């Protein structure tokens, strides 16, 4: 099972887990202890009731309670009312202790006397997917094939038409309970419309996860970043043309690992293969955990941790940050 280092805040009040789910609750700050980091071990990166007794926190068996939001509670004329930005929260019990985990950091408690919770038993993914969506057509030496039909040992073409063997391919279905908590939006795929970047690019709508990198080519990247080919997280391209697909309530993500970082042709648009960082011959190198996309992939596809294949941790193209990639959105719109 993959591990993740997460920050938690212990709750020492008298409520039991089930009572936290019954209704909006006001929890006084005095019942919370000091935050600290611990090791969460989970087989798929998504916490739910199915993990009870299987996942663990700092070695203690974990029981999932729920997820939702918390808001700072302030005193107004003797009444505690929620005020301020709601923050996502995941709540679980381990070793007889209830813990609150804030994936986006804790709420601003300046002036607060309590936390106002809205929690349900809905599952929560503590990792971001970095993948293609089921139904994506991948270029191979035998023509385009749906990603869900590819297997280990098959070959895929890179942007220059050279073949590469698939060392590993994984897929996982995710529910999208949008509306309960703003943080769930990060699971929604990005939809790149057909020909968003010019004729045949892509040939049909392409759906990828928000952190998946797409290649942007042309004079714009060269002028701004000194390279005519750059890799940009799909999330950076959101705008008038590229958008989140907010209609989906379930999605299956797939990713492909080759011996090196490959720029595949996905629905005719250059898109990266999995870039997990260095993979040693006998085990995944520990420093790979800090590399982009590595932690998410290991969490979503736990069998990756058992691979015994060499991977060359090198990319031939610059990888832009989201704030840098946003500078290329006008290029995409102008080319439409």
């Amino acid at each position: 099972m993959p591990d993740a280092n997460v920050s938690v805040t212990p709750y020492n009040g008298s409520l039991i887990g089930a009572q936290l789910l019954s209704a909006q609750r006001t929890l006084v700050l005095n019942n919370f202890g000091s935050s600290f980091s611990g090791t969460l071990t989970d087989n798929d990166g998504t916490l739910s009731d199915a993990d009870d007794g299987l996942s663990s926190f700092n070695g203690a068996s974990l029981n999932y309670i729920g997820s939702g939001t918390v808001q700072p509670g302030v005193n107004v004329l003797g009444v505690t009312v929620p005020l301020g930005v709601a923050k996502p929260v995941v709540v679980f019990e381990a070793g007889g202790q209830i813990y609150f985990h804030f994936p986006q950091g804790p709420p601003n408690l300046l002036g607060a006397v309590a936390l106002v919770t809205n929690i349900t038993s809905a599952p929560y993914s503590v990792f971001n997917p970095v993948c293609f969506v089921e139904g994506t057509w991948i270029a191979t030496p035998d023509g385009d094939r749906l990603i869900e039909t590819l297997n280990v040992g098959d070959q895929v073409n890179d942007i220059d038409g050279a073949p590469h063997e698939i060392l590993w391919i994984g897929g996982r279905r995710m529910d999208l309970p949008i509306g309960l908590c703003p943080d769930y939006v990060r699971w929604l795929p990005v939809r790149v419309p057909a020909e968003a970047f010019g004729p045949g690019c892509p040939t049909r709508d392409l759906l990828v996860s928000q952190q998946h990198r797409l290649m942007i080519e042309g004079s714009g990247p060269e002028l701004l970043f000194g390279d005519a080919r750059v890799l940009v997280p799909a999330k950076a391209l959101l705008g008038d043309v590229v958008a989140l697909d907010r209609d989906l309530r379930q999605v299956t993500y797939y990713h492909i690992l080759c011996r090196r970082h490959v720029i595949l042709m996905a629905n005719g648009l250059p898109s990266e293969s999995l870039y997990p960082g260095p993979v040693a011959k006998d085990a995944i190198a520990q420093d790979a955990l800090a590399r982009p996309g590595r932690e998410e992939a290991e969490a979503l596809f736990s069998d990756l941790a058992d691979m015994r294949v060499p991977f060359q941790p090198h990319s031939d193209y610059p990888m832009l940050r989201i704030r840098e990639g946003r500078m290329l959105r006008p290029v995409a719109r102008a080319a439409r």
Side-chain angles (χ1 to χ4, degrees):
M1 288 188 178
D3 296 335
N5 191 58
V6 298
S7 177
V8 298
T9 302
Y11 175 70
N12 302 316
S14 59
L15 288 177
I16 62 174
Q19 291 174 310
L20 290 172
L21 304 176
S22 60
Q24 183 182 86
R25 289 283 180 176
T26 299
L27 308 178
V28 297
L29 294 184
N30 288 342
N31 284 332
F32 288 90
S34 299
S35 298
F36 66 95
S37 294
T39 301
L40 174 66
T41 302
D42 181 66
N43 67 340
D44 60 4
T46 298
L47 293 178
S48 70
D49 290 339
D51 293 306
D52 291 354
L54 300 176
S55 300
S56 65
F57 179 70
N58 280 350
S61 180
L62 181 150
N63 290 309
Y64 181 70
I65 295 175
S67 64
T69 61
V70 296
Q71 278 183 282
V74 300
N75 191 314
V76 178
L77 300 177
V79 178
T80 301
V81 297
L83 186 67
V85 178
K87 286 278 193 169
V89 67
V90 182
V91 187
F92 60 86
E93 180 270 333
Q97 175 68 57
I98 292 177
Y99 296 102
F100 280 56
H101 166 56
F102 304 104
Q104 293 184 354
N108 183 357
L109 298 179
L110 183 63
V113 297
L115 282 181
V116 180
T117 67
N118 284 281
I119 298 170
T120 76
S121 59
Y124 190 92
S125 174
V126 292
F127 305 98
N128 291 322
V130 185
C131 327
F132 295 103
V133 171
E134 182 179 26
T136 300
W137 291 88
I138 304 295
T140 78
D142 299 319
D144 289 356
R145 289 179 56 184
L146 287 169
I147 192 168
E148 58 266 30
T149 69
L150 296 172
N151 298 293
V152 171
D154 290 343
Q155 292 190 325
V156 291
N157 288 349
D158 66 19
I159 189 173
D160 298 314
H164 298 265
E165 181 184 358
I166 296 175
L167 298 181
W168 171 87
I169 185 166
R172 181 172 180 274
R173 187 176 63 188
M174 298 180 70
D175 292 323
L176 303 172
I178 308 304
L180 172 67
C181 173
D183 194 52
Y184 286 123
V185 174
R186 68 194 173 115
W187 300 349
L188 288 174
V190 173
R191 180 179 291 274
V192 181
E195 303 191 342
F197 294 92
C201 194
T203 54
R204 54 174 63 84
D205 287 8
L206 175 67
L207 280 79
V208 296
S209 62
Q210 296 178 36
Q211 300 298 328
H212 194 102
R213 299 183 190 90
L214 307 176
M215 176 171 280
I216 306 297
E217 304 179 82
S219 58
E222 188 169 24
L223 178 64
L224 293 170
F225 304 105
D227 199 304
R229 288 178 167 180
V230 297
L231 293 170
V232 179
K235 184 177 180 179
L237 301 172
L238 295 175
D240 296 337
V241 175
V242 179
L244 295 179
D245 191 325
R246 297 180 178 275
D247 295 328
L248 295 177
R249 290 298 174 266
Q250 191 177 81
V251 63
T252 301
Y253 282 115
Y254 284 88
H255 219 323
I256 295 171
L257 180 72
C258 299
R259 197 169 302 278
R260 63 189 303 273
H261 189 226
V262 176
I263 305 305
L264 307 170
M265 298 301 294
N267 290 4
L269 183 67
S271 311
E272 69 173 346
S273 66
L274 180 60
Y275 184 74
V279 179
K281 184 175 182 180
D282 296 321
I284 294 174
Q286 291 299 312
D287 62 354
L289 289 173
R291 294 183 177 271
R294 173 64 184 83
E295 183 175 342
E296 293 90 340
E298 185 183 45
L300 284 171
F301 313 126
S302 58
D303 53 338
L304 179 58
D306 296 327
M307 291 187 59
R308 298 294 185 266
V309 296
F311 176 82
Q312 301 173 18
H314 170 73
S315 177
D316 294 329
Y317 306 99
M319 295 181 177
L320 303 188
R321 298 178 183 274
I322 290 178
R323 64 174 180 272
E324 296 170 330
R326 290 191 181 111
M327 300 173 68
L328 298 175
R329 284 183 299 176
V331 175
R333 291 197 295 269
R336 187 172 171 81

